[in-house]
């Protein structure tokens, strides 16, 4: 209960106060039930004021009134000459400051309209989602908890990541388990992780109450690495190769062409090949000197734009 200070009348010995009592709240309806009363009293003892008239009270923009009869006597003990109980709608975010003004027109006393404002208890509205993990691999599941303020509320979950977005579910209750798509890896071709934002829209029927968010770090699984598709080695002297049936020490020149591809949006950033004690770069090169007979081994390593490699 909250009460204004003393409000004046044209009689210095008669004052009045406005009281706002918040009785209850309807969370799903976003309203508060309040009782407003106006109490008149004398500041001196041993005197009584009575007569006829009307007390007016404007509550949240609407004016109400109550008749005063000669039986309604104003003494130092005070008397409530107006009372009204009604439901007050809150703002969309659940906040509300109630403004009340009151005045009296009476055969013995009058006053101007004087106001009093009282902030009502904010009604919880939009649900704040909570994700059960701080980080997770793409392709794995997360659970989003949605502790709603009313069982009448429903939720729509959406996500945004790397410039793309989507809807996880609509008409949801208090939780949702969702598998993070591996396809989101293509949105971060140069990184191994990023921040996924989950938005929770709260609805009361078809009315959207508000939106709150939470975030989770999603990672490209370590299994997502570049792929070496093929390593093609050919003798640049095809006629010699055909006649000799193979590579000839000291005479053959070998052309090497490597085919490799990134994974889930990444691109190949570098090639490194070791052969015959030398290191070569690039996806194609020529080995000019075959210095010994036997087997020549090519060891190929590629690295992608995420910094991951395959050999």
């Amino acid at each position: 209960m909250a009460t204004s200070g003393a409000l004046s009348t044209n009689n210095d010995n008669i004052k009045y106060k406005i009281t706002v009592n918040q009785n209850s709240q309807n969370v799903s309806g976003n309203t508060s039930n309040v009782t407003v009363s106006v109490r008149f009293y004398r500041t001196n003892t041993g005197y009584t004021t009575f007569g006829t008239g009307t007390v007016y009270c404007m509550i949240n923009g609407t004016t109400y009134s109550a008749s005063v009869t000669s039986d309604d006597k104003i003494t130092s003990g005070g008397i409530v000459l107006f009372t009204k109980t009604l439901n007050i709608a809150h703002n969309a975010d659940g906040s509300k400051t109630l403004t009340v003004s009151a005045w009296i027109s009476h055969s013995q006393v009058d006053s101007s309209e004087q106001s009093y404002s009282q902030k009502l208890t904010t009604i919880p509205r939009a649900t704040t989602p909570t994700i059960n993990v701080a980080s997770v691999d793409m392709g794995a599941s997360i659970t989003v908890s949605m502790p709603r303020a009313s069982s009448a509320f429903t939720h729509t979950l959406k996500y945004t990541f790397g410039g793309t977005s989507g809807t996880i579910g609509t008409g949801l209750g208090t939780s949702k388990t969702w598998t993070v798509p591996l396809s989101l890896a293509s949105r971060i071709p140069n990184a191994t992780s990023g921040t996924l934002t989950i938005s929770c829209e709260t609805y009361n029927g078809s009315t959207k109450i508000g939106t709150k968010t939470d975030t989770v770090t999603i990672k490209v699984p370590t299994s997502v690495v570049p792929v070496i598709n093929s390593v093609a080695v050919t003798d640049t002297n095809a006629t010699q190769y055909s006649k000799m049936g193979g590579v000839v020490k000291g005479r053959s020149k070998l052309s090497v062409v490597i085919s490799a591809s990134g994974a889930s949006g990444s691109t190949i950033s570098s090639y490194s090949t070791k052969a015959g004690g030398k290191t070569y770069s690039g996806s194609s090169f020529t080995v000019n000197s075959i210095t010994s007979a036997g087997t020549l081994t090519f060891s190929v390593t590629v690295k992608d734009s995420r910094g991951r490699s395959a050999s």
Side-chain angles (χ1 to χ4, degrees), residues 14 19 39 72 92 106 114 135 137 151 157-158 169 179-180 184 200 249 269 278 303 306:
I14 299 177
T19 295
R39 176 178 171 272
D72 299 317
H106 191 272
Q114 295 166 81
S135 63
D137 279 354
S151 60
L157 281 183
K158 298 180 179 179
T179 300
V180 180
L184 292 180
C200 178
K249 181 182 70 171
S269 60
K278 293 184 179 181
K303 184 177 289 186
R306 292 193 182 98

Side-chain angles (χ1 to χ4, degrees), residues 136-138 161 184-185 187-195 217-222 224 266 304-308:
V136 66
D137 279 354
M138 299 173 189
F161 181 76
L184 292 180
R187 309 302 303 186
I188 49 170
N190 302 318
T192 58
S193 66
T195 300
T217 298
I218 59 174
K219 301 177 292 184
V220 181
T222 56
V224 177
S266 73
D304 71 1
S305 52
R306 292 193 182 98
R308 292 180 173 177

Side-chain angles (χ1 to χ4, degrees), residues 28 33 37 83 88 158 214 245 302:
S28 61
N33 182 267
S37 59
T83 185
I88 300 296
K158 298 180 179 179
D214 196 9
V302 297

Side-chain angles (χ1 to χ4, degrees), residues 71 106 259:
D71 293 331
H106 191 272
S259 172

Side-chain angles (χ1 to χ4, degrees), residues 4 7 16-21 34-38 56-62 64 82 86 88 97-103 113-118 120:
S4 71
L7 305 174
Y16 66 102
K17 292 184 177 181
I18 299 170
T19 295
V20 176
N21 186 51
V34 301
T35 298
V36 176
S37 59
V38 184
Y56 298 92
C57 188
M58 180 182 290
I59 305 172
N60 203 36
T62 301
Y64 305 90
F82 174 90
L86 69 168
I88 300 296
T97 297
L98 179 62
T99 299
V100 178
S101 62
W103 64 100
E113 180 181 358
Q114 295 166 81
S115 298
Y116 171 66
S117 294
Q118 175 60 38
L120 303 181

Side-chain angles (χ1 to χ4, degrees), residues 152-165:
F153 292 173
T154 59
H155 305 103
T156 293
L157 281 183
K158 298 180 179 179
Y159 72 88
T160 56
F161 181 76
T164 190
S165 61

Side-chain angles (χ1 to χ4, degrees), residues 64-211:
Y64 305 90
S65 63
S67 297
V68 182
T69 70
S70 56
D71 293 331
D72 299 317
K73 295 178 171 55
I74 304 173
T75 66
S76 60
I79 183 172
V80 174
L81 295 182
F82 174 90
T83 185
K84 182 75 173 178
T85 299
L86 69 168
N87 292 321
I88 300 296
H90 284 230
N91 301 320
D93 64 357
S95 65
K96 179 63 179 180
T97 297
L98 179 62
T99 299
V100 178
S101 62
W103 64 100
I104 189 170
S105 177
H106 191 272
S107 58
Q108 301 299 319
V109 62
D110 290 298
S111 77
S112 61
E113 180 181 358
Q114 295 166 81
S115 298
Y116 171 66
S117 294
Q118 175 60 38
K119 184 177 181 180
L120 303 181
T121 301
T122 298
I123 298 175
R125 305 308 292 153
T127 301
T128 299
T130 302
I131 302 170
N132 66 320
V133 292
S135 63
V136 66
D137 279 354
M138 299 173 189
S141 296
I142 61 173
T143 298
V144 183
S145 297
M146 296 165 284
R148 56 192 176 186
S150 169
S151 60
F153 292 173
T154 59
H155 305 103
T156 293
L157 281 183
K158 298 180 179 179
Y159 72 88
T160 56
F161 181 76
T164 190
S165 61
T167 299
I168 297 172
T170 60
L172 304 175
T174 58
S175 68
K176 173 66 175 179
T177 299
W178 178 61
T179 300
V180 180
L182 182 58
S183 59
L184 292 180
S186 64
R187 309 302 303 186
I188 49 170
N190 302 318
T192 58
S193 66
T195 300
L196 176 80
T197 299
I198 300 287
S199 299
C200 178
E201 299 176 350
T202 304
Y203 288 85
N204 184 18
S206 60
T207 301
K208 183 178 177 180
I209 293 172
T211 302

